[in-house]
Amino acid sequence: DVVLTQSPLSLPVTLGQPASISCRSSQSLVHSNGHTYLNWFQRRPGQSPRRLIYEISNRDSGVPDRFSGSGSGTDFTLKISRVEAEDVGVYYCMQHSHWPHTFGQGTNLEIK
Amino acid sequence: EVQLVESGGGLAHSGESLRLSCAASGFTITNEWMYWIRQAPGKGLEYVANINKDGSEKYYVDSVRGRFTIARDNAKNSLYLQMNSLRVEDTALYYCVTGGGRLWGQGTVVIVSS
């Protein structure tokens, strides 16, 4: 199985400051069709996960542009340019290039 | 409103069965791969099974293969998960999810006791 390793697992951030989460894969996430199916999710307290980013860098509808994704191959990053109070929650990366699809362990973002 | 609503969770004893349902509204699942994803207490997210658009392809995580069956009824805009031979370790919040994780339901809780 593909193992996704997120870091850090805990991310205290001051309001208005940037934040960055890394997701590293145990193998390349480039699918045989050339696409890289690496997505990012946000889970706010008490809510279901919400997809923020798909295929490395594409923002979902309604996602603020302070969220951005980048990377390739086995190394990926989610960045928040200026953290707001509503960004508190757990962030997960997920791959669906290989079965079984797998998730990272999650990164808990909190406000300092 | 576009949404997925799961039902069918509850309390079962080890070895028993449960059937989860997921009703989609506001959109058609016909054009979507569909997934079941779960989260056990204190654990991370785990894919359980997925099914392609016409139901001809199904994939399962090793821990449930042979015990769980994913199915869909596109005419009813619904997804199902038949869970047999339940184990304590199947205890989790089960989510119905569209392909790639675009849309999630609110989840239904399954608790399996020994």
Side-chain angles (χ1 to χ4, degrees), chain A residues 39 41 43 47-51 60 92 94-96 99-105, chain B residues 35 37 39 45-47 49-50 59-61 93 95 99-102 104-106:
Chain A
N39 300 344
F41 296 86
R43 186 173 196 175
Q47 296 186 12
S48 298
R50 166 200 183 195
R51 196 176 71 180
D60 273 278
Y92 297 91
M94 182 215 81
Q95 66 82 22
H96 60 113
W99 184 257
H101 306 330
T102 49
F103 289 88
Q105 318 97 300
Chain B
Y35 304 126
I37 294 172
Q39 186 162 28
L45 294 165
E46 179 186 38
Y47 263 91
N50 70 2
Y59 299 91
Y60 301 93
V61 69
L93 179 60
Y95 293 101
R102 183 178 63 84
W104 296 62
Q106 85 289 348

Side-chain angles (χ1 to χ4, degrees), chain B residues 6-106:
Chain B
E6 302 93 336
S7 61
L11 180 62
H13 290 101
S14 182
E16 293 182 342
S17 299
L18 284 173
R19 184 183 189 231
L20 305 185
S21 298
C22 169
S25 58
F27 74 105
T28 175
I29 68 168
T30 304
N31 298 321
E32 302 273 358
W33 280 71
M34 296 295 297
Y35 304 126
W36 287 101
I37 294 172
R38 68 185 178 184
Q39 186 162 28
K43 299 274 186 82
L45 294 165
E46 179 186 38
Y47 263 91
V48 175
N50 70 2
I51 186 168
N52 71 342
K53 297 175 185 180
D54 65 7
S56 61
E57 295 180 39
K58 303 174 184 181
Y59 299 91
Y60 301 93
V61 69
D62 285 349
S63 58
V64 309
R65 188 176 296 114
R67 300 189 298 121
F68 289 13
T69 302
I70 189 171
R72 65 192 296 157
D73 185 334
N74 287 342
K76 294 183 178 180
N77 220 24
S78 294
L79 178 72
Y80 306 98
L81 186 68
Q82 178 67 42
M83 305 187 296
N84 297 332
S85 303
L86 282 163
R87 302 171 180 169
V88 171
E89 54 265 35
D90 295 320
T91 294
L93 179 60
Y94 285 74
Y95 293 101
C96 168
V97 186
T98 59
R102 183 178 63 84
L103 182 64
W104 296 62
Q106 85 289 348

Side-chain angles (χ1 to χ4, degrees), chain A residues 24-85:
Chain A
R24 290 187 170 168
S25 174
S26 60
Q27 64 186 78
S28 173
L29 297 184
V30 179
H31 191 272
S32 56
N33 64 12
H35 288 252
T36 301
Y37 296 109
L38 187 285
N39 300 344
W40 288 96
F41 296 86
Q42 174 195 61
R43 186 173 196 175
R44 290 172 172 154
Q47 296 186 12
S48 298
R50 166 200 183 195
R51 196 176 71 180
L52 300 174
I53 303 284
Y54 63 95
E55 293 188 45
I56 302 177
S57 59
N58 298 283
R59 262 191 313 275
D60 273 278
S61 176
V63 174
D65 61 7
R66 63 178 182 277
F67 289 93
S68 64
S70 62
S72 64
T74 60
D75 286 334
F76 305 92
T77 302
L78 175 70
K79 292 184 178 178
I80 308 174
S81 58
R82 295 172 305 280
V83 170
E84 298 188 5

